[in-house]
Amino acid sequence: MSKVIVIGGGAAGMMAAFSAASVGHEVILLEKNEKLGKKIYITGKGRCNFTNCCDTEDFFKNVVTNPKFLYSALYTYPSDFVVDFFESHGTATKVERGNRAFPVSDHASDITRAFSNALKDNHVQIKLNTKVIKLIVKDNVVSGVVLEDGVNLSSDHVIVCTGGLSYKTTGSTGDGLRFAKELDIKVSATRPALVPMECQEKYIIDMQGLSLKNVELSIYNGQKQLFKDFGEMLFTHFGVSGPLVLSASSKVGRYLETVDSLIAIIDLKPALSKDMLEDRLLREFKDNQNKKLITVVRSLVPASMVDAIIEVSKVDGDKQINSVTREERESIIYALKEFPFTITGLRDYNEAIVTQGGVAVKEIDPSTMMVKNYKGLSFAGEVIDVDAFTGGFNLQIAFSTGYLAGISID
């Protein structure tokens, strides 16, 4: 039996502590906050979408960075195992649209309560308000940690589960990334991910509060398409947000580090081809010949978007419909099918759901989560350079990597 220290009491850390203890190790879980699972409490708007119950192969399609690295972890501890874990520790679960799993109660606290039960049942020693400032290392062997109060804790193995840089108020301040750098373990460049985006145009800001459903968003760097998907988005006082935009941010963030801006296009009527939309416009024009053009535009888009459509089309909204030219009609169609705006940047880590980047996967054995060049050290969860779209995928990655790290210790 080994003595194991787990640093970080979030999703990956709690699972790592549980799994290590379940195979007979003596485990101490160190958490610098006043309670475990602080970030879990705010996931899924407080409901905690704790996994996604899609087929495992479909799961990999939702992993943005380094999906192949996760094969061992996700096949060792897939989503149905996670569901069983919570069910067996007193939390009833349910699956909603998009295979997203939640506690039946819709309370994230039930997820952390299940972990508390599991950790207690497996005799894990939990130390709250306990910050680790350094790993104890000699001759490439990790033998413990140094706490903020100067106390040294010895161990046979340390699992670092400190998260990334997103939502710093939950304790994700990059401690694990610093530990890695201090040991010359490569850390891939980090950036906010699953995060809203800032935009240039005033007409975007003027639509703040407007939510669009069933639209198609495409993002380009010059002629290169970086992202295209269908869903919901929201206009804000700084730019755009919503599920579609958050997913896009994980794909385009790295490009915004090298260019000043990206071009985004919204198809407001993806179910209609341009020809079909023109036929609809002609019918609207025929029924409203003596009215102003803006009347027809109001029938096609939400009220708060009318001015933006008129501005993008460069057609006079007060013009009588019976005098609208073919070119002007095509401009309206363009505004509806290819509504443009400019993305100038991402919001910061305080608004990011996850961190992209982290401890480089080439430094870690994917079958154990152990660091290749150090004995007695593993990493798990968001601290590693892996991330996925929204929908429960990131928490599942934390659980799978944490579980594998815990059971792989000799």
Side-chain angles (χ1 to χ4, degrees), residues 45-107:
K45 297 180 180 178
R47 298 176 61 216
C48 193
N49 173 199
F50 65 85
T51 190
N52 192 288
C53 295
C54 66
D55 179 80
T56 304
E57 284 303 311
D58 288 334
F59 192 105
F60 290 114
K61 297 174 184 176
N62 285 277
V63 179
V64 177
T65 308
N66 297 316
K68 291 182 179 179
F69 172 81
L70 294 169
Y71 268 59
S72 290
L74 287 170
Y75 276 110
T76 298
Y77 205 68
S79 60
D80 55 331
F81 283 34
V82 171
V83 171
D84 288 345
F85 170 84
F86 289 117
E87 294 275 356
S88 64
H89 289 95
T91 296
T93 65
K94 61 182 176 180
V95 178
E96 297 185 358
R97 177 176 57 87
N99 296 308
R100 297 174 302 158
F102 295 87
V104 167
S105 66
D106 286 330
H107 293 148

Side-chain angles (χ1 to χ4, degrees), residues 171-362:
S172 298
T173 54
D175 295 345
L177 304 178
R178 177 172 56 81
F179 298 156
K181 290 175 182 177
E182 288 172 351
L183 299 181
D184 290 325
I185 297 170
K186 180 176 172 56
V187 175
S188 302
T190 58
R191 66 187 65 84
L194 297 180
V195 65
M197 297 190 282
E198 297 177 344
C199 302
Q200 175 177 296
E201 289 80 6
K202 183 177 182 299
Y203 60 74
I204 295 293
I205 310 305
D206 288 344
M207 292 188 289
Q208 63 177 287
L210 172 63
S211 178
L212 297 177
K213 295 183 178 182
N214 303 320
V215 297
E216 186 175 80
L217 175 66
S218 303
I219 300 177
Y220 295 86
N221 181 15
Q223 297 298 312
K224 182 180 180 181
Q225 187 179 79
L226 307 179
F227 177 85
K228 182 179 181 181
D229 206 354
F230 176 87
E232 302 177 18
M233 61 183 295
L234 172 70
F235 296 98
T236 72
H237 66 283
F238 54 77
V240 288
S241 187
L244 196 52
V245 171
L246 297 183
S247 293
S249 72
S250 291
K251 284 289 191 179
V252 308
R254 68 192 70 218
Y255 293 93
L256 286 167
E257 295 174 347
T258 58
V259 299
D260 291 333
S261 61
L262 300 171
I263 298 301
I265 302 292
I266 305 174
D267 184 347
L268 296 162
K269 304 291 180 183
L272 301 177
S273 66
K274 287 185 178 180
D275 288 342
M276 293 166 67
L277 185 55
E278 183 171 27
D279 288 343
R280 178 174 172 180
L281 267 183
L282 288 170
R283 291 194 301 271
E284 294 279 357
F285 283 8
K286 184 178 179 181
D287 294 339
N288 298 278
Q289 291 185 46
N290 298 316
K291 295 182 180 179
K292 294 179 179 180
L293 174 62
I294 199 169
T295 303
V296 171
V297 175
R298 284 174 181 148
S299 72
L300 296 170
V301 297
S304 55
M305 197 172 199
V306 171
D307 288 345
I309 294 295
I310 294 298
E311 181 176 343
V312 168
S313 69
K314 297 181 172 63
V315 179
D316 183 0
D318 290 328
K319 191 169 186 177
Q320 244 185 341
I321 288 172
N322 58 18
S323 63
V324 173
T325 66
R326 178 177 180 179
E327 289 74 17
E328 289 171 331
R329 190 171 70 245
E330 288 176 348
S331 293
I332 295 294
I333 293 171
Y334 159 78
L336 293 168
K337 294 290 289 180
E338 299 179 50
F339 183 84
F341 61 96
T342 308
I343 298 168
T344 56
L346 304 179
R347 299 294 278 180
D348 64 22
Y349 286 110
N350 290 326
E351 297 179 47
I353 294 175
V354 297
T355 302
Q356 198 165 67
V359 177
V361 296
K362 70 177 184 179

